Structures are given as structure tokens and as C-alpha cells.
């Protein structure tokens, strides 16, 4: 008996493309849709089922496309609508699917709706956004933006403030206005009719603003927290149910919400009853475990085994039989996983990259692979602030360093560990200049380890991280237990080993991962665990696990 109902998106593996950094087809230094099309055979070879492409819509790029100025046009740097059609046809011709990024908590300030909205208080588009009067000569409330500073911007033209939970170039859309919902649902339907296969929904848990009360100010913080008023509210759940009825139920889609929150929140967003989304992302093991100080994510806390395991196991157990999970360790907002959770030294990079892949791909939930993860790409370790492009980094620099609150050396160390640009350096294709990403000057430097780490080299080496991922993906397509098996944690207090079991129809799959660079004892005996499905070591030592060893056994 399967613990879960069948669905194609449960059996799938999703590959995330960050188009700006994937492949540049015309030498302007910026990745583009034709670049994606040229590399579809590579993705087919890897064996992934679904491609989630970060936003490719018209945008002034204050936040690399997460600020959309026209939802029905292609970003000019990325190509044309014909290029999109060709990319989609190429994906479908290879039996893969395309999930687009839906960024509708906010638009760009250059979207025609906002251009109108800010013109006057009685403009017909005024209510498409969230405008408020100031209070006592200041902002309407104490909320801080996710990217530093206040979440409110005074607009001189009309003397009111608008809300932006991200940069001031990303004004929040007013979902309470039924016209806004109509526009968004029409636009989604339009893309579905064009043939896309799903949506990854950007910060979708924030669309339902319930009130505009001051938020709690945590010790040392400069602003109040908007979360109690804006995140995971009943209003958000109501909008998602409406979206489900008016759009999603009419097509066969993969839907994943960038929701975060607790397992209880995820159970509502991605409930088996099918009332909202298919699945949502957890952030407790990425953003959550480093949110230890008033500096938010900025620290070198990294990701210790005990904390990561506590979060992932808790989510695995809580969602089981109730909701579907999506599992990942990195994406375009996180550093490279091998640098953060593994070991990116030449000695252990490949072993630890394979171990982390094993850990994720054997869990209950749909696995997500972020471009370059299948090569074991690493952080770039920029040394100075000028090397970064990311608006999040520059705003944080202004808020903490330029104001004298934090010293530059600490901040640069934290950026090197955790900043988003680490995952955004160009894809490393081969040993040509700029790793074959571009014939021009790349918009963000290529990591200079590309002669060692690149796709061409990986494809020639049967022992590469690439072929290991290919095998992990193929195993998912062969063994039901990997998709549908019940999750059972093992050795929950082991300081070095992350272990768990999956169970289905009397079968058992055991997963052992050594999270350290030492050979460590393992309390489970391999004799009783059955046949080996995959491992990153050709041989084993009974009762022990080698550094970063991963093994999966089926009985
Ligand atoms: C999401 C995106 C991130 C973006 C933000 C604002 O978190 O993943 O890249 O900056 O939303 O759209
Ligand atoms: Ca280009």
C-alpha cells in the first residue's frame, strides 16, 4: 500500500535554471533563453523531469527579474517570445516540463499599473497597490523590508507612502482589490494556455495582508517584523483557494509555493486534499537556522548537522500522510550547498557533494536540483563589496556597515559564506574562457575553479558528481519506495551520521550519510540492510563510514 496517492509531480525531479547565469548565446555576458535551448540535451542526459526557470519576464532588473514590468513579455536581455516558444517546444519534445516563476506579491515600479497608480490619489489603478498616509510625519507603521530599510516609501507626487516588502522598486500588489486578482488569474491562464506546466510561486505566503499594525521589534533590530500581519494569514489561504478554483484546477500543473513557515503552515498550503498547492518550500533549514541574531541571515553559522537534521526530520514526519514536501539544500537565494553544508576543499568536494545529494534525493518529497549543483559547484568567496551585484548585499552593507554598526571584515566574511551571488556565478560548462558561459564579459565573474569543475569534464568522468546525480534521479524513477515510502528517522542523536529509513510494502530502504571529514563508527550493521543501490565509495568498512560516505541499501 502506498502511503501517498499517485501524482506525476511526486515522482519528478525538478531542475532550477537561473537564466541570467545559465548560458549566454549571443555574447552580451547575460544568459538567455536560447542559451537554455542549446543545453536541453544536457538536462535530458541528467534525467530531470521538470525545469523551473527563474523569471524571464520584462524587468528593469533591480532584483534580477523578480521585479516584473510586463508579465506577458520576455525580458529583452533574455530574448523574444519566439525564443520562448522554441525553448518550450524543445523542453516538451524531450519529454520534460516547464514550470515558470510567478512573482505576484509585487510587481516592478515600472509596471504600467504602478506607473498609473502613483500618478494621483484618484487614478483608477491607485488601489492596485497599497498606499497609506504617513503617521506623525513618518512611515505608516514600523515594518522593515526584507532587503533592509523601511518597507514604506514616500512618493512625493501624491504625498502618500506605498508598501514594498522587498526593494522600493518592488511595490506590493493589493490582492484585496478583486481587479488585481482578476488580472493575475487571467495572466496565469494565458501562460497555461501557452503550454507551461506549472508555477513556482514567489513569496506567495505574503499576499494576504491582514492588517497594518506595528510589528514586534526584536532585540537589536532596527524595524518591526511584518510577519504577524502578512505571512500565512487566513486571507492568503482564501486567495490561494480562489486561485485554485479559477486557474489551477483547469490544468494539470506542478505548483510549489515559496511559503516557508512551520510544518503546520505547509500542511495548509500543500494539503493532500488538493485545495491549495501541490507542495511548498521549507526555509527553516536554510534561512531559519542562521536567523540567530538581529543581523538576520548574516552570520557564519552555516548549517550544523544537528540543526539541519532536527528541521528536516520534523518536516518529514509532520507532513507524512498529510501534505507533500519539496526537498532542497540550495537555490538562487542560498549559497552553494557543498560550501555551506559539505566541504568544498579539493579533497572532499566531490564526496561531500554526492553525500548531500543522496541525503536529499532519498527523502520524502520532490527533490530540487539547482543549476551547477550536479557538478558540485562552490561558493566564489568574493573579497570586496564591489564584486557583489546583489541588491540584498548592497542594502545590508548600507544598513549595517556604512552606518558603523558592524565592521566590514565581519560582514564580508558573512557575505562570502551566505550571500546569494555565490549561487549566481555563471554555470561552468567547459575549460574555454569564462567556462564557456559567454564569449563576452560575464555579468558576474566566473568562479576561477572552472578548469577543475565544469560540465564537459564531468561528462567524461564516470565517477563525477554529475553521473552520481544521474543515478540518484534514475533510482527515483525505478523504485516506488523512494517516492512513496514512509519516512522513519534513525540515529537521531548521532553527532556525525544522518540516517533514516523509508518503508513501503514490506520493503525497507536505509540511507546512511556521514556529515564529517572523519571515518566514524556507525551503529547500524550493513549485513541486515540488504542490497546496495548507490554509494559514493566503491567499498566499505563494516561498522564504520568513511569521510562523507553515503550509502543507500534496499531490503
Ligand atoms: C523570492 C525570490 C528572491 C527575490 C524575492 C523577491 O524570495 O526567490 O530571489 O529576491 O522573492 O521577489
Ligand atoms: Ca545573452
Amino acid at each position: 500500500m502506498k502511503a501517498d496517492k499517485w501524482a506525476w509531480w511526486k515522482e519528478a525531479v525538478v531542475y532550477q535554471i537561473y537564466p541570467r547565469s545559465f548560458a549566454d548565446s549571443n555574447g552580451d555576458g547575460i544568459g538567455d533563453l536560447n542559451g537554455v535551448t542549446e543545453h536541453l540535451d544536457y538536462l535530458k542526459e541528467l534525467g530531470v523531469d521538470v525545469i523551473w526557470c527563474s523569471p524571464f519576464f520584462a524587468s528593469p532588473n533591480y532584483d534580477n527579474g523578480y521585479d516584473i514590468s510586463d508579465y506577458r513579455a520576455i525580458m529583452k536581455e533574455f530574448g523574444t517570445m519566439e525564443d520562448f516558444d522554441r525553448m518550450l517546444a524543445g523542453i516538451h519534445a524531450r519529454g520534460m516540463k516547464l514550470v515558470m516563476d510567478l512573482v505576484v506579491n509585487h510587481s516592478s515600479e515600472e509596471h504600467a499599473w504602478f506607473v498609473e497608480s502613483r500618478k494621483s490619489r484618484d487614478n483608477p489603478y491607485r488601489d492596485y497597490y497599497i498606499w497609506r498616509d504617513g503617521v506623525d510625519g513618518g512611515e505608516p507603521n514600523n515594518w522593515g523590508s526584507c532587503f533592509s530599510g523601511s518597507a514604506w516609501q514616500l512618493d512625493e507626487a501624491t504625498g502618500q507612502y506605498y508598501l514594498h516588502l522587498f526593494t522600493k522598486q518592488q511595490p506590493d500588489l493589493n490582492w484585496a482589490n478583486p481587479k488585481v486578482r482578476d488580472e493575475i488569474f487571467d495572466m496565469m491562464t494565458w501562460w497555461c494556455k501557452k503550454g507551461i506546466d506549472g508555477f513556482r510561486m514567489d513569496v506567495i505566503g505574503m499576499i494576504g495582508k491582514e492588517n497594518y499594525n506595528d510589528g514586534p521589534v526584536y532585540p537589536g533590530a532596527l524595524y518591526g517584523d511584518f510577519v504577524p500581519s502578512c505571512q500565512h494569514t487566513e486571507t492568503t489561504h482564501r486567495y490561494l483557494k480562489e486561485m485554485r478554483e479559477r486557474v489551477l484546477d483547469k490544468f494539470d500543473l506542478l505548483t510549489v509555493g515559496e511559503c516557508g513557515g512551520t510544518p503546520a503552515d505547509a500542511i495548509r498550503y500543500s494539503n493532500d486534499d488538493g485545495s491549495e498547492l501541490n507542495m511548498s518550500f521549507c526555509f527553516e533549514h536554510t534561512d531559519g537556522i542562521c536567523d540567530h541574531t538581529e543581523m538576520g541571515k548574516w552570520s557564519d553559522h552555516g548549517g550544523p548537522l544537528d540543526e539541519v537534521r532536527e528541521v528536516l526530520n520534523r518536516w518529514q514526519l509532520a507532513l507524512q500522510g498529510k501534505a507533500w514536501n519539496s526537498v532542497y539544500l540550495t537555490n538562487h537565494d542560498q549559497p552553494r550547498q557543498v560550501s555551506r553544508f559539505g566541504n568544498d576543499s579539493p579533497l572532499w568536494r566531490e564526496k561531500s557533494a554526492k553525500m548531500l545529494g543522496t541525503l536529499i534525493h532519498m527523502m520524502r518529497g520532490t527533490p530540487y536540483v539547482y543549476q551547477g549543483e550536479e557538478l558540485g559547484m562552490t561558493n566564489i568567496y568574493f573579497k570586496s563589496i564591489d564584486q557583489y551585484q546583489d541588491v540584498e548585499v548592497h542594502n545590508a552593507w548600507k544598513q549595517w556597515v556604512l552606518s558603523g554598526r558592524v565592521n566590514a571584515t565581519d560582514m564580508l566574511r558573512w557575505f562570502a559564506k551566505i550571500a546569494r551571488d555565490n549561487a549566481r556565478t555563471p554555470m561552468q560548462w567547459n575549460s574555454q574562457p569564462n567556462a564557456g558561459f559567454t564569449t563576452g564579459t560575464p555579468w558576474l565573474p566566473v568562479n576561477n575553479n572552472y578548469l577543475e569543475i565544469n560540465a564537459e569534464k564531468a561528462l567524461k568522468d564516470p565517477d563525477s558528481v554529475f553521473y552520481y546525480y544521474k543515478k540518484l534521479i534514475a533510482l527515483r524513477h525505478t523504485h516506488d519506495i523512494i517516492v512513496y515510502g514512509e519516512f522513519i528517522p534513525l540515529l537521531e542523536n548521532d553527532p556525525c551520521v544522518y540516517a533514516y529509513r523509508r518503508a513501503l510494502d514490506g520493503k525497507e530502504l536505509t540511507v546512511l550519510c556521514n556529515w564529517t571529514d572523519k571515518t566514524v563508527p556507525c551503529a547500524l550493521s550493513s549485513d541486515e540492510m540488504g542490497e546496495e543501490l548507490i554509494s559514493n565509495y566503491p567499498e566499505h568498512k563494516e561498522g564504520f563510514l568513511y569521510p562523507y560516505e553515503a550509502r543507500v541499501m534496499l531490503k
Side-chain angles (χ1 to χ4, degrees):
M1 241 270 303
K2 287 182 180 174
D4 291 291
K5 282 179 284 187
W6 175 89
W8 65 265
W9 38 263
K10 292 181 180 171
E11 304 191 348
V13 174
V14 181
Y15 186 93
Q16 183 191 355
I17 290 183
Y18 194 69
R20 200 176 178 79
S21 303
F22 192 65
D24 172 23
S25 70
N26 64 350
D28 66 355
I30 298 175
D32 46 52
L33 300 188
N34 287 340
V36 174
T37 306
E38 283 167 14
H39 288 91
L40 292 176
D41 286 333
Y42 169 82
L43 300 178
K44 187 66 195 166
E45 170 70 18
L46 183 58
V48 296
D49 308 276
V50 176
I51 297 168
W52 147 31
C53 198
S54 278
F56 42 73
F57 314 95
S59 167
N61 283 304
Y62 285 98
D63 189 20
N64 290 355
Y66 283 90
D67 48 326
I68 296 173
S69 54
D70 184 347
Y71 290 96
R72 301 184 198 212
I74 302 296
M75 188 193 298
K76 61 180 187 314
E77 294 86 340
F78 287 180
T80 63
M81 196 56 87
E82 288 69 47
D83 297 336
F84 170 81
D85 292 338
R86 220 165 332 111
M87 177 179 86
L88 182 60
I91 292 171
H92 286 164
R94 288 168 181 78
M96 298 186 285
K97 292 175 188 281
L98 177 68
V99 163
M100 72 172 230
D101 218 307
L102 182 76
V103 189
V104 289
N105 171 69
H106 44 268
S107 73
S108 159
E109 63 173 354
E110 294 183 20
H111 195 289
W113 301 333
F114 192 72
V115 172
E116 284 302 311
S117 186
R118 76 191 327 175
K119 280 184 180 161
S120 67
R121 292 190 184 207
D122 57 5
N123 187 284
Y125 288 89
R126 188 69 171 178
D127 273 350
Y128 272 47
Y129 294 86
I130 299 165
W131 293 95
R132 291 288 182 279
D133 289 325
V135 172
D136 302 331
E139 289 83 14
N141 68 25
N142 70 357
W143 296 352
S145 130
C146 294
F147 290 158
S148 307
S150 165
W152 296 95
Q153 175 67 28
L154 177 64
D155 204 44
E156 301 289 344
T158 56
Q160 281 190 311
Y161 290 80
Y162 65 85
L163 180 69
H164 61 90
L165 296 182
F166 292 87
T167 70
K168 64 178 192 290
Q169 292 86 7
Q170 293 165 298
D172 279 53
L173 282 157
N174 179 18
W175 276 69
N177 180 350
K179 281 196 221 147
V180 168
R181 303 205 295 281
D182 290 348
E183 298 258 22
I184 290 170
F185 297 156
D186 281 356
M187 176 272 286
M188 292 173 71
T189 304
W190 187 83
W191 281 103
C192 290
K193 289 191 172 153
K194 259 181 110 39
I196 60 126
D197 306 289
F199 298 102
R200 174 268 185 188
M201 303 188 184
D202 194 66
V203 294
I204 201 73
M206 301 183 183
I207 58 178
K209 278 80 175 168
E210 211 133 87
N211 59 57
Y212 294 87
N213 303 336
D214 276 347
V217 184
Y218 303 117
L222 303 179
Y223 294 91
D225 186 6
F226 60 74
V227 166
S229 308
C230 298
Q231 285 255 56
H232 321 306
T233 61
E234 290 307 317
T235 319
T236 293
H237 290 293
R238 224 177 42 241
Y239 296 151
L240 286 176
K241 291 197 167 70
E242 185 182 341
M243 180 195 283
R244 178 93 200 193
E245 277 169 33
R246 292 179 58 189
V247 185
L248 307 179
D249 274 340
K250 304 198 161 93
F251 305 89
D252 182 19
L253 304 171
L254 181 158
T255 54
V256 53
E258 193 203 14
C259 301
T262 62
D265 295 313
I267 289 169
R268 295 197 63 188
Y269 288 117
S270 49
N271 200 287
D272 277 346
D273 69 8
S275 58
E276 295 183 21
L277 307 176
N278 297 158
M279 52 187 128
S280 70
F281 289 117
C282 163
F283 286 103
E284 286 193 59
H285 66 302
T286 49
D287 295 342
I289 53 173
C290 49
D291 261 346
H292 284 297
T293 69
E294 66 275 13
M295 306 281 308
K297 70 188 266 184
W298 307 115
S299 75
D300 44 19
H301 189 66
L305 170 61
D306 54 343
E307 294 182 35
V308 174
R309 177 173 54 201
E310 187 282 320
V311 171
L312 292 180
N313 284 2
R314 181 159 45 79
W315 276 67
Q316 289 283 308
L317 292 170
L319 270 59
Q320 190 136 271
K322 299 197 177 86
W324 195 246
N325 215 339
S326 33
V327 283
Y328 75 99
L329 290 174
T330 185
N331 60 35
H332 66 294
D333 293 330
Q334 303 295 335
R336 291 283 173 183
Q337 70 187 41
V338 70
S339 299
R340 179 178 187 175
F341 301 110
N343 184 328
D344 62 9
S345 72
L347 187 57
W348 297 122
R349 184 183 62 83
E350 293 187 283
K351 290 281 187 229
S352 68
K354 292 173 183 174
M355 182 277 287
L356 294 170
T358 313
L359 179 72
I360 286 298
H361 282 251
M362 295 298 135
M363 284 193 165
R364 181 180 172 277
T366 299
Y368 286 68
V369 180
Y370 176 69
Q371 67 184 41
E373 177 189 331
E374 78 282 11
L375 304 175
M377 277 178 61
T378 68
N379 279 10
I380 188 159
Y381 300 114
F382 284 144
K383 299 253 170 337
S384 88
I385 181 68
D386 326 314
Q387 290 172 295
Y388 289 94
Q389 296 261 348
D390 185 6
V391 64
E392 183 185 42
V393 157
H394 286 281
N395 286 357
W397 185 258
K398 217 178 332 163
Q399 173 162 312
W400 297 105
V401 179
L402 297 185
S403 69
R405 293 185 178 95
V406 166
N407 79 60
T409 317
D410 285 340
M411 200 64 172
L412 285 169
R413 198 176 67 247
W414 299 331
F415 288 164
K417 186 95 192 172
I418 215 91
R420 308 193 297 178
D421 279 343
N422 284 300
R424 298 176 178 186
T425 63
M427 180 74 177
Q428 294 164 208
W429 291 107
N430 54 41
S431 54
Q432 303 292 303
N434 293 314
F437 164 73
T438 181
T439 54
T441 307
W443 72 277
L444 191 66
V446 172
N447 195 314
N448 54 29
N449 60 20
Y450 74 91
L451 291 177
E452 180 56 30
I453 307 172
N454 67 64
E456 190 179 70
K457 192 158 180 265
L459 287 166
K460 287 189 191 136
D461 171 10
D463 196 30
S464 65
V465 179
F466 180 94
Y467 286 118
Y468 191 91
Y469 265 72
K470 179 175 173 165
K471 189 164 176 194
L472 286 173
I473 294 165
L475 285 171
R476 182 178 191 82
H477 295 145
T478 321
H479 297 280
D480 265 5
I481 190 169
I482 297 175
V483 181
Y484 296 107
E486 182 194 346
F487 178 88
I488 303 157
L490 299 172
L491 309 179
E492 279 172 279
N493 297 313
D494 193 296
C496 305
V497 179
Y498 196 147
Y500 58 87
R501 188 159 280 159
R502 307 288 304 278
L504 183 71
D505 298 334
K507 287 191 183 164
E508 274 181 8
L509 182 94
T510 307
V511 182
L512 302 177
C513 294
N514 179 358
W515 194 266
T516 75
D517 62 359
K518 307 273 179 323
T519 298
V520 300
C522 179
L524 299 165
S525 158
S526 55
D527 294 346
E528 297 146 33
M529 292 187 273
E531 114 194 64
E532 180 175 295
L533 291 188
I534 190 168
S535 175
N536 56 354
Y537 277 82
E539 61 208 24
H540 312 287
K541 185 172 177 179
E542 182 53 31
F544 291 87
L545 291 170
Y546 291 125
Y548 299 108
E549 179 171 343
R551 295 169 73 182
V552 180
M553 272 122 341
L554 180 64
K555 187 171 76 166

